[in-house]
Amino acid sequence: MPSFLRKRKLIVFLLSIIIIVSLIGYSLRSDGSSSVPAQFAHDTVGLFQSVLHRPIGAIADFSGSISDIREVYEQNQVLKQELQDYKSLAYEVNELEKENEELRAMADVDTTLSDYETLNATVIARSSERWFQQVTINKGSQHGVQENMAVQTAKGMVGKVINASQLTSTVQLLSGFGAEHQVSAIVDQNENIFGMIEGYDSENDQLIFRDLSDDSELEEGQTVVTSGLGGVFPRGILIGEISSIELDQYGLTSIAHVEPAADLNDINQVKVVDRELQNVEPTEEEDEES
Amino acid sequence: MKIFLLPLVTLILLVLQSVLTEVIPSSFLDGMLYIPHWPLVISIIVMIFYDREHSYVGLMNGLAFAFLTDLTFTSILGVYLLGYGVSLYVIHLLKRVLHKNFLVSIVFVLLGVAIADLIIFGVYFLIGQVMIGFQDYLTIRLVPSLIVNVIGLLILYPLTKPMLTKWKYELEK
């Protein structure tokens, strides 16, 4: 009898090892699209998360605002000055937008890579496994979120949607980007420089931008934006600013360290970016707007 | 009713730890990774104070929520399942040897979280998800995680232990 028990335990042990190894292998190879049970699990957990997020977030906001009160006066002075600049800037932008529209109408261009619509969402939870830099937002495929859409805050790009279930979706932050999530990027105001954001250096909290163009004109202080090529990201979403440049290990291409424009550790409100160009047929909403 | 209570409480703990991770700003945490394993903690408590010699309520509960953690918080399935499974089984073997009191439950939580987190680190290291060395892992992640989970135990213990011992008494009668 004991030998039988021992044999049964051994079989259970071996079976579970096989199951776990195949699970890990499956999830490493899968393309990330989620099945119906997985979506159900995401939505159930997401429902509880949004319920609990409200009171806990309110407490955290309250304690945060107490510490903010001290700095309000100084901030107010600075903001007043900036507001005056803003007015003239807003006027300028309006004029340019109008001009751009007219020119586009003349050239008969409907949508370009830079056109996009945004969808506001709130971050309700963050993966408690901190090695996976993932957050959950309270908008899902019911609201129009799809996989691979870019996600940004007011300051700049923060990541992309890797999993959209019905009512919530999971966002992979830039700080968790590896070889499997590369972003095609260009340097602002210099079309000659293009390359890929191909990883994150967690020691310095900086993104790694590999320059793929021939003549290297990289300089410190340049801003890096998405290129809109090769993917569903629109053109011109701010990623960050170059802080240092070095040659790669073979000395062939240069690698720039990019300081992300958005604060990846403190994210509350995000915008999911829906590029218009991929829509072959105009949707109803667009018709109503125009 | 009792059957649904344990999964419900564990689910709330699972959700609570993710919401707290979002709300508490990480600048406050000073580069340390405080990883809560509260579903594991409550499974250990159930295992010590409710499970008999050959019942596996705590183990099953731990495995189910390990899989849910894998599914919802990470993009690689099976890692938490392995970590929680091995750690809960070790505790299942050890609980026959030791008395069931508060100090022992602290020891079990420390041991269980350490085993689970070491396995999770090992597997992620093998498949290339993390690149940090073992020394860095010990200081940045393991020690803070042990602290935050013992805090979890200190909160959960007085709330759950009397109820569990009462239920076990009713079961045995």
Side-chain angles (χ1 to χ4, degrees):
Chain A
M1 197 63 188
S3 73
F4 168 72
L5 269 181
R6 223 173 287 148
K7 209 180 270 176
R8 200 184 62 172
K9 268 180 188 167
L10 191 71
I11 290 171
V12 169
F13 176 74
L14 287 178
L15 267 182
S16 39
I17 291 291
I18 290 170
I19 290 171
I20 281 167
V21 168
S22 50
L23 266 179
I24 293 174
Y26 164 75
S27 44
L28 280 177
R29 296 186 54 171
S30 71
D31 55 350
S33 58
S34 52
S35 56
V36 174
Q39 287 197 5
F40 178 73
H42 275 120
D43 282 338
T44 315
V45 173
L47 181 73
F48 278 87
Q49 280 169 341
S50 47
V51 168
L52 272 182
H53 179 264
R54 211 155 283 169
I56 294 175
I59 293 168
D61 281 349
F62 181 69
S63 58
S65 47
I66 287 176
S67 61
D68 280 347
I69 285 174
R70 293 184 208 153
E71 300 159 19
V72 161
Y73 179 73
E74 285 164 30
Q75 278 180 358
N76 197 9
Q77 298 296 318
V78 178
L79 285 176
K80 265 182 193 166
Q81 279 189 343
E82 279 182 7
L83 201 62
Q84 288 179 343
D85 297 341
Y86 173 77
K87 271 178 194 162
S88 60
L89 196 68
Y91 175 72
E92 225 168 90
V93 168
N94 264 339
E95 287 292 298
L96 285 174
E97 253 178 20
K98 212 182 286 173
E99 196 181 317
N100 193 1
E101 256 173 43
E102 282 169 13
L103 289 174
R104 268 196 208 171
M106 280 163 69
D108 214 13
V109 178
D110 276 343
T111 48
T112 67
L113 287 174
S114 346
D115 283 336
Y116 57 81
E117 282 179 8
T118 58
L119 180 76
N120 289 321
T122 308
V123 175
I124 52 172
R126 193 180 180 113
S127 168
S128 58
E129 174 55 75
R130 299 296 289 245
W131 280 332
F132 286 84
Q133 295 282 338
Q134 296 175 352
V135 296
T136 310
I137 58 174
N138 65 348
K139 293 283 160 68
S141 50
Q142 290 279 333
H143 309 96
V145 179
Q146 282 165 12
E147 271 165 35
N148 290 323
M149 281 182 174
V151 178
Q152 63 170 3
T153 62
K155 289 179 190 162
M157 181 166 169
V158 291
K160 74 169 189 180
V161 177
I162 54 165
N163 188 321
S165 51
Q166 295 298 316
L167 299 171
T168 58
S169 14
T170 313
V171 175
Q172 174 74 56
L173 299 181
L174 284 174
S175 44
F177 271 36
E180 72 274 26
H181 307 293
Q182 298 199 338
V183 184
S184 167
I186 50 171
V187 167
D188 196 20
Q189 294 172 349
N190 191 340
E191 296 284 309
N192 293 326
I193 308 177
F194 59 89
M196 301 291 253
I197 297 286
E198 58 172 25
Y200 187 78
D201 180 3
S202 52
E203 280 176 25
N204 308 322
D205 294 333
Q206 282 172 337
L207 292 159
I208 296 163
F209 172 69
R210 183 183 291 273
D211 181 14
L212 294 174
S213 47
D214 297 334
D215 45 342
S216 191
E217 297 166 25
L218 283 178
E219 282 169 33
E220 285 177 23
Q222 286 172 325
T223 48
V224 176
V225 298
T226 54
S227 73
L229 304 172
V232 290
F233 297 171
R235 191 190 189 88
I237 297 181
L238 179 63
I239 297 175
E241 193 172 89
I242 295 178
S243 64
S244 67
I245 300 157
E246 58 187 46
L247 284 177
D248 78 340
Q249 48 183 338
Y250 306 113
L252 295 173
T253 52
S254 41
I255 287 177
H257 290 266
V258 177
E259 183 82 40
D263 183 0
L264 297 176
N265 287 322
D266 189 14
I267 305 168
N268 294 316
Q269 298 290 330
V270 294
K271 290 177 193 160
V272 182
V273 176
D274 185 4
R275 189 169 90 180
E276 283 178 20
L277 194 64
Q278 63 182 343
N279 299 341
V280 182
E281 295 162 295
T283 58
E284 287 178 5
E285 287 173 44
E286 280 169 32
D287 286 344
E288 282 170 10
E289 278 171 21
S290 60
Chain B
M1 188 59 207
K2 264 188 264 177
I3 299 169
F4 294 115
L5 202 56
L6 177 63
L8 187 72
V9 168
T10 322
L11 181 65
I12 288 172
L13 285 177
L14 182 85
V15 167
L16 192 68
Q17 70 183 24
S18 70
V19 173
L20 282 179
T21 314
E22 198 270 315
V23 167
I24 295 172
S26 39
S27 54
F28 180 69
L29 304 178
D30 196 27
M32 296 289 184
L33 298 171
Y34 295 86
I35 313 294
H37 293 294
W38 293 336
L40 179 67
V41 173
I42 196 158
S43 301
I44 291 175
I45 296 177
V46 170
M47 198 165 225
I48 300 171
F49 295 108
Y50 182 72
D51 271 340
R52 283 155 299 153
E53 193 74 4
H54 290 293
S55 72
Y56 295 94
V57 178
L59 185 72
M60 290 302 157
N61 187 56
L63 285 180
F65 281 91
F67 190 70
L68 196 61
T69 313
D70 272 331
L71 193 64
T72 48
F73 295 154
T74 76
S75 30
I76 296 170
L77 299 179
V79 181
Y80 269 67
L81 199 61
L82 181 68
Y84 283 19
V86 172
S87 116
L88 284 171
Y89 190 69
V90 168
I91 285 163
H92 175 76
L93 295 180
L94 280 180
K95 72 167 187 183
R96 295 172 201 164
V97 190
L98 294 170
H99 286 288
K100 287 160 188 168
N101 57 34
F102 180 59
L103 275 179
V104 168
S105 59
I106 288 185
V107 172
F108 276 164
V109 164
L110 284 174
L111 186 73
V113 170
I115 293 173
D117 212 72
L118 277 167
I119 290 173
I120 289 165
F121 166 70
V123 178
Y124 284 157
F125 190 80
L126 276 181
I127 60 179
Q129 176 71 30
V130 286
M131 304 279 182
I132 64 170
F134 189 68
Q135 286 289 329
D136 284 344
Y137 162 74
L138 286 185
T139 48
I140 292 176
R141 174 159 160 149
L142 186 60
V143 175
S145 304
L146 288 178
I147 294 170
V148 87
N149 285 298
V150 169
I151 291 172
L153 174 74
L154 294 182
I155 296 168
L156 285 173
Y157 184 87
L159 298 178
T160 51
K161 195 239 171 180
M163 210 177 280
L164 287 171
T165 34
K166 203 180 93 190
W167 286 352
K168 188 181 183 181
Y169 178 72
E170 285 171 5
L171 202 71
E172 278 168 349
K173 202 169 61 173

